Amino acid sequence: MLIGYARVSTLDQHLQAQEDLLRDAGCEKIFTDHSSGTVRERIGLNELQTVLRAGDTLVVWRLDRLGRSLPDLIERVSYLETQGVALKSLHESIDTSTSTGKLVFHLFGALAEFERNLIRERTLTGLAAARARGRLGGRPKTLDADQVQAMTQLHQQGEMTVEKICTLFHISKPTFYAYLKRTPLSIGHLPTQKAGSKLKTRRNSAA
């Protein structure tokens, strides 16, 4: 079965165009969300995952409708693969049920891992250089913009605990969460507002 997923970022945007494209592609069911791509938990997407079965194909208009970032997209596609569900993107002409589509996502996964390693390496190198200059004798009063971005990205990757990140940047947990509240990149880890979702079933044409 082809099952569609459509998302717009704000309530003043319309889903109609995406829904029409998904219906034209043969989707029998369509789930929707009104929420920013940075919001990790989406009601419509969660409902969709409960109805997906092995052999189904999840269809989206564009890849950015599904994933909020490349690592997040890879994580979601990997989950679909473990469930025996394929992903098809109309705009990028990618279909993971084909060998070519699988190859593309394997390349995406390699790039995402490369990006994570670069972020980690740059963060550790910068901290080591600062220590060598004697700048980290104790907990700093503030972090600069680059440090805040690196800290937030490490948190979003989910590979380091909050305790380890705080130790790395010489800050306390309250300070860590205070930075997250002021940083847009952290929105995926903050409590999310309820987003409207709906299920639309394709009408069967009269015989």
Side-chain angles (χ1 to χ4, degrees):
M1 177 186 293
L2 298 180
I3 301 177
Y5 175 70
R7 179 183 61 79
V8 292
S9 299
T10 60
L11 292 175
D12 61 347
Q13 293 179 325
H14 302 289
L15 291 160
Q16 190 62 49
Q18 292 183 50
E19 291 176 328
D20 289 344
L21 289 170
L22 294 174
R23 289 192 186 93
D24 290 342
C27 292
E28 299 180 33
K29 297 179 180 179
I30 298 176
F31 291 80
T32 65
D33 272 315
H34 280 90
S35 64
S36 168
T38 57
V39 177
R40 184 173 179 82
E41 295 299 327
R42 305 177 212 156
I43 297 177
L45 186 57
N46 290 341
E47 291 179 356
L48 181 153
Q49 291 178 337
T50 65
V51 303
L52 287 172
R53 298 292 182 269
D56 288 344
T57 297
L58 172 59
V59 185
V60 294
W61 168 51
R62 251 177 20 195
L63 291 175
D64 63 0
R65 301 299 88 191
L66 179 63
R68 61 196 177 98
S69 64
L70 181 56
D72 182 56
L73 179 62
I74 297 300
E75 179 182 342
R76 294 189 185 279
V77 175
S78 298
Y79 168 79
L80 293 175
E81 187 175 9
T82 63
Q83 302 301 307
V85 177
L87 173 67
K88 182 176 183 179
S89 174
L90 303 178
H91 183 74
E92 289 87 0
S93 298
I94 293 176
D95 186 347
T96 61
S97 66
T98 68
S99 56
T100 301
K102 290 180 180 178
L103 175 61
V104 169
F105 267 97
H106 285 159
L107 292 176
F108 282 178
L111 290 174
E113 179 64 23
F114 177 70
E115 180 185 33
R116 286 193 295 269
N117 290 336
L118 279 181
I119 292 172
R120 186 180 300 107
E121 181 180 346
R122 288 170 181 169
T123 301
L124 296 177
T125 299
L127 291 172
R131 290 192 182 96
R133 293 193 297 269
R135 293 175 55 189
L136 292 180
R139 188 179 72 187
K141 294 182 179 179
T142 59
L143 301 179
D144 59 33
D146 290 338
Q147 288 174 317
V148 173
Q149 181 179 9
M151 178 189 70
T152 305
Q153 289 175 329
L154 286 174
H155 180 52
Q156 287 187 314
Q157 290 170 13
E159 298 179 0
M160 294 182 68
T161 64
V162 172
E163 289 79 4
K164 289 184 179 179
I165 294 176
C166 290
T167 300
L168 187 65
F169 287 90
H170 291 258
I171 59 176
S172 65
K173 279 187 177 181
T175 301
F176 170 81
Y177 287 111
Y179 275 118
L180 286 190
K181 289 181 180 179
R182 299 196 299 265
T183 305
L185 288 177
S186 68
I187 193 169
H189 295 271
L190 298 176
T192 60
Q193 295 181 346
K194 292 185 178 180
S197 67
K198 53 184 177 179
L199 166 64
K200 296 192 175 180
T201 305
R202 188 187 184 190
R203 297 178 178 176
N204 295 324
S205 60

